[in-house]
Each structure stands twice: as C-alpha cells, then as structure tokens.
Amino acid sequence: MSSPADQIDAQPFAVIVMGVSGCGKSTLGALLAAELNCPFLEGDSFHSDDAVEKMRGGRALTDEDRWPWLDRLGAAAAAAVAEHGVVVTACSALRKAYRDRLRAAIGDPVRFILLDNSRDQILARLANRPGHYMPPSLLDSQLATLERPLAEEGVLILETNAEPDALRDAALGWVRG
C-alpha cells in the first residue's frame, strides 16, 4: 500500500494553508487533507492559553508570543510528515520569518498556499464566526503584519471568492503539479 506522498511526490512534504484570520484556512486545509488522506493540523490548537486570552482580549500577538507557537506547530507537522508522508496545516504564517521558521522546523519540503481576499470580505467572514477567540478588531493588525510571499518562495495564491471545493481542486492541481 502506498502513502499519500508516494501518490503525489517521491519525497515527503507539508502543505501549509496560510493567511489572516477568517480567510478560510481551516476549511480548505480540512478539505485538502481529506483528499490527500493525511492528517490535518489546526494551527489555532497550538496556541498557548495565554496567547488565546490575549487575542480574545483584543490584543495582537507579538513575535515573542508567536515563536513558541510556530515551534510547537512545526514540530507537530514534522512528526506527522515522518509518520504519514504528508500533512496539511492551517497557520497564518503572516511574515516571511514565520514561514522560514516553519520550513526549518519541518525539514521536509513545505508548500504554502495563501488565501487572499479583500478586507471587507474577510470582515464579513469574521462576523459569521460566533464564539471564536479572534475578534474582528484584530484583522487590521494581521493585515499590517502580513508580508505577501515573494516570488522565490513559490507560494500558491488563491482568491477565496470561489467555493471551497473549487479552491481544494486548484490546490490539489498545484500540489500534484
């Protein structure tokens, strides 16, 4: 029996669906992982309780808050790749330094997919997430932190106006490329 990695690529890899809060990372990540028959890691689950409370209180995270989170998530992704050959992760990965840190922690090739949309569209999505700790008031800080990927990073950028299944299919086509 072959692993998901054998079906797509000769070597193991990770896919990280990235973008600001409310862009659809978790939805696409779960769909992509189901199609690839591999684990899905929800980046929000790796935040410390203190970081969650900070965000819930409307305060943006600092790099000092994010480094341990990225390290935990990177280690979990590396373990999942080692065990399953492929993993899909949802993580904001807003800055190049964050993406580089994840790449270093995972070790195997990492393919990033940026979900993009207008501020107004994302605000509308955030308004439809009752009970989530990330308040819409933090969107502007995330947009200010976002460093759009450089061409040499090889990041797939998808506009999230399409249906989730269409985004999944576009992502699969690129991953299988």
Side-chain angles (χ1 to χ4, degrees):
M1 186 165 130
S2 63
S3 74
D6 294 334
Q7 298 166 12
I8 296 169
D9 199 289
Q11 62 181 343
F13 67 93
V15 176
I16 298 179
V17 182
M18 62 172 281
V20 298
S21 186
C23 70
K25 297 181 297 289
S26 299
T27 299
L28 178 59
L31 288 171
L32 197 53
E35 189 68 28
L36 294 172
N37 191 31
C38 70
F40 171 62
L41 302 179
E42 172 54 69
D44 287 347
S45 301
F46 292 83
H47 278 298
S48 69
D49 291 342
D50 289 342
V52 170
E53 286 308 309
K54 188 173 185 177
M55 288 182 281
R56 184 174 279 129
R59 296 185 326 252
L61 297 182
T62 65
D63 284 351
E64 290 70 33
D65 298 318
R66 287 185 180 109
W67 297 133
W69 167 62
L70 292 165
D71 292 342
R72 285 189 296 274
L73 184 57
V81 169
E83 184 174 345
H84 302 281
V86 179
V87 66
V88 176
T89 302
C91 175
S92 56
L94 297 174
R95 295 182 54 219
K96 184 178 183 307
Y98 305 161
R99 296 187 293 273
D100 289 346
R101 192 161 184 135
L102 288 166
R103 283 185 187 101
I106 295 168
D108 290 296
V110 180
R111 300 169 183 173
F112 286 90
I113 300 170
L114 171 63
L115 297 183
D116 203 14
N117 211 314
S118 71
R119 178 183 182 278
D120 290 342
Q121 287 286 82
I122 294 170
L123 271 175
R125 288 176 185 221
L126 287 172
N128 289 318
R129 294 188 342 167
H132 194 277
Y133 62 80
M134 180 73 170
S137 62
L138 288 179
L139 177 60
D140 287 333
S141 73
Q142 284 206 323
L143 289 169
T145 302
L146 177 63
E147 294 174 358
R148 296 193 61 78
L150 303 171
E152 60 266 18
E153 288 186 79
V155 175
L156 174 65
I157 300 174
L158 295 175
E159 177 96 9
T160 60
N161 288 331
E163 291 297 316
D165 287 349
L167 293 171
R168 178 205 57 212
D169 293 347
L172 282 170
W174 179 71
V175 167
R176 291 177 171 152

